[in-house]
Amino acid sequence: MTRSRFVLPALLLGLLLPGAHAGAQTLTPAGTVITNQAQAEFLSPPTGQPTVVRSNVVQTTVAAVCAVSVTPDGTVAQPGQSAALLPGEAATFVYKIVNAGNATSTFGVSARTEAGGISTPGLKLVRDLNGNGKADTNEPEISSVTLDADRTADVLLLVEAISAGDAFVNLVAGCAGGQSDSNNVSVVRISPPPPSP
């Protein structure tokens, strides 16, 4: 009777079985070379002796994957952050951008207002270099962020209230020509100025 057994390297099993490394959050780094060789062991029918047969060695290089995540999430129906202002006042919304891919990537970032509001405030994005949640004088206005894999950046969305009415503002980040994260809406409720005495 012929008996066979196939042996796969542990690394390959970890790639094939989704639950093999439960809780792992990072992707295999881009450029990693994975070497694989299958092996079969069986009893030879003519001799009854154990025999081992190996496949050719196969090498696969992991491709770079660009992926970005922004928090906190929010929609026009359920904004993630809110602020109440008077015309001429300003608010700061704090966001965290995560490189969820497996290679260093540059993400375009932009601020925009969403449909559903009646006010159009002034918007700008600043890199919060020291993580204190405030725009300091040495912190630059930005339109992109470059991050190594699994690294984060704190970004501030600065909102200047111009006229009364609600405004839904959003920070959008994305890969060049690829995946983006655009469900990060916050709301600014701008009240009319108080009446003059």
Side-chain angles (χ1 to χ4, degrees), residues 16 19 30 34 38 49 59 61-62 72 90 93 104 112 123 126 134 145 168 173 176 181 188 192:
L16 294 178
I34 299 171
Q49 297 298 313
Q59 289 189 331
T61 302
V62 177
F93 294 119
T104 299
R112 71 186 188 199
L123 305 175
V126 171
K134 298 186 298 185
V145 174
F168 297 96
D181 187 327
V188 180

Side-chain angles (χ1 to χ4, degrees), residues 16-190:
L16 294 178
L17 301 176
H21 296 287
Q25 299 296 315
T26 57
L27 299 173
T28 302
T32 300
V33 177
I34 299 171
T35 301
N36 184 37
Q37 184 177 41
Q39 175 178 300
E41 299 178 13
F42 61 94
L43 294 176
S44 172
T47 65
Q49 297 298 313
T51 303
V52 176
V53 178
R54 293 180 177 86
S55 71
N56 294 332
V57 174
V58 177
Q59 289 189 331
T60 302
T61 302
V62 177
V65 175
C66 183
V68 64
S69 175
V70 180
T71 54
D73 291 340
T75 63
V76 170
Q78 290 188 307
Q81 303 178 78
S82 65
L85 302 174
L86 293 172
E89 294 181 335
T92 300
F93 294 119
V94 180
Y95 289 91
K96 188 172 291 292
I97 298 176
V98 180
N99 180 347
N102 65 350
T104 299
S105 295
T106 298
F107 307 106
V109 294
S110 61
R112 71 186 188 199
T113 55
E114 301 291 346
I118 60 172
S119 177
T120 306
L123 305 175
K124 72 177 179 177
L125 296 175
V126 171
R127 178 79 180 262
D128 188 6
L129 297 174
N130 60 10
N132 69 352
K134 298 186 298 185
D136 298 314
T137 54
N138 65 325
E139 293 176 332
E141 189 171 348
I142 59 170
S143 60
S144 66
V145 174
T146 300
L147 294 171
D148 292 338
D150 205 33
R151 297 297 182 186
T152 66
D154 292 325
V155 175
L156 307 174
L157 172 51
L158 307 183
V159 182
E160 182 183 356
I162 297 172
S163 59
D166 290 351
F168 297 96
V169 298
N170 196 358
L171 186 155
V172 179
C175 302
Q179 181 259 343
S180 66
D181 187 327
S182 60
N183 63 328
N184 313 297
V185 177
S186 297
V187 63
V188 180
R189 304 196 185 281
I190 306 167

Side-chain angles (χ1 to χ4, degrees), residues 8 11-18 20:
L8 294 176
L11 177 59
L12 180 61
L13 287 173
L15 292 172
L16 294 178
L17 301 176

